[in-house]
């Protein structure tokens, strides 16, 4: 389906190393011009690390905007000029202290289609081995947890796993587990 919307002007209103807040002036199909505000990112990644046949490796970290901890799959933003796979490999090591020998791309999704153009690429990784980093990000404090796969649906229903990106990644991983 071809877009009937036409971008007239694109402006960056604010930017940091992770995302840009943008405003597009566009022409709608009815001929009216309007503004659309959104967050632009170079994308994000999530790794679903299989610890063994029954367990996955997840991370618990404090999420400032929600004021509570979140149990989620390791992941983060892509850095410009890096492939999503390389970013996922880095995030796994940075957040868990592990590397993986085998990686499989599962697919992707947009985490919030009305607010951002972000595309999150999801990978399943196997054959983990310890590879702790000497210098970690002082602003990102995570604790790795081994979680049984059988417990994940109940943890989602019970609110222990509330990260929408993790829930979507778990769904994508389901066909491969």
């Amino acid at each position: 389906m071809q877009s009937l919307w036409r971008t007239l002007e694109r402006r960056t209103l604010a930017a940091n190393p992770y995302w840009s807040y943008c405003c597009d002036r566009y022409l709608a199909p009815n001929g009216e011009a309007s503004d659309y505000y959104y967050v632009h990112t170079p994308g994000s990644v999530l790794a679903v690390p299989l610890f063994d046949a029954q367990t996955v490796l997840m991370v618990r970290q404090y999420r400032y905007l929600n004021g509570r901890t979140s149990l989620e799959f390791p992941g983060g933003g892509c850095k410009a000029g890096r492939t999503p796979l390389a970013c996922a490999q880095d995030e796994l090591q940075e957040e868990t202290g592990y590397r993986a020998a085998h990686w499989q791309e599962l697919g992707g999704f947009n985490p919030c289609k009305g607010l951002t153009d972000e595309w999150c690429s999801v990978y399943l990784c196997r054959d983990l081995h310890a590879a702790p980093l000497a210098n970690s990000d002082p602003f990102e404090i995570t604790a790795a947890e081994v979680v049984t796969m059988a417990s994940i649906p109940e943890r989602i229903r019970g609110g222990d796993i509330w990260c929408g990106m993790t829930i979507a990644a778990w769904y994508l991983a389901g066909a491969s587990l």
Side-chain angles (χ1 to χ4, degrees):
M1 180 174 185
Q2 185 175 346
S3 173
L4 300 176
W5 301 62
R6 192 175 67 170
T7 303
L8 302 173
E9 177 188 11
R10 178 162 288 153
R11 294 178 291 145
T12 299
L13 305 175
N16 63 45
Y18 311 104
W19 55 267
S20 300
Y21 186 55
C22 300
C23 178
D24 285 1
R25 185 82 176 154
Y26 68 90
L27 192 62
N30 67 2
E32 291 185 37
S34 191
D35 293 328
Y36 198 103
Y37 296 86
Y38 62 97
V39 174
H40 166 72
T41 78
S44 59
V45 294
L46 282 178
V48 179
L50 295 183
F51 200 73
D52 60 36
Q54 284 81 39
T55 60
V56 291
L57 189 60
M58 299 183 81
V59 293
R60 190 169 296 278
Q61 92 183 83
Y62 182 78
R63 291 298 182 179
Y64 172 79
L65 289 178
N66 297 98
R68 61 185 180 145
T69 61
S70 174
L71 183 61
E72 55 198 52
F73 289 121
C78 286
K79 293 168 184 72
R82 309 266 338 262
T83 67
L85 176 59
C87 292
Q89 291 168 333
D90 289 347
E91 290 293 335
L92 176 66
Q93 185 177 20
E94 290 168 8
E95 294 188 2
T96 69
Y98 282 86
R99 298 222 27 106
H102 297 96
W103 290 81
Q104 173 189 350
E105 186 171 4
L106 297 176
F109 60 90
N110 176 290
C112 195
K113 65 188 181 307
L115 300 177
T116 182
D117 63 358
E118 181 175 337
W119 188 257
C120 181
S121 299
V122 180
Y123 296 88
L124 183 68
C125 53
R126 295 180 165 93
D127 300 325
L128 303 180
H129 57 276
L133 288 176
N135 299 320
S136 60
D137 183 346
F139 296 104
E140 185 172 54
I141 301 167
T142 60
E145 290 186 28
V146 177
V147 176
T148 64
M149 289 187 265
S151 74
I152 290 178
E154 182 55 40
R155 286 174 176 244
I156 292 170
R157 284 190 296 275
D160 188 32
I161 297 173
W162 54 268
C163 167
M165 292 174 75
T166 291
I167 294 168
W170 179 245
Y171 176 82
L172 288 173
S176 299
L177 298 175

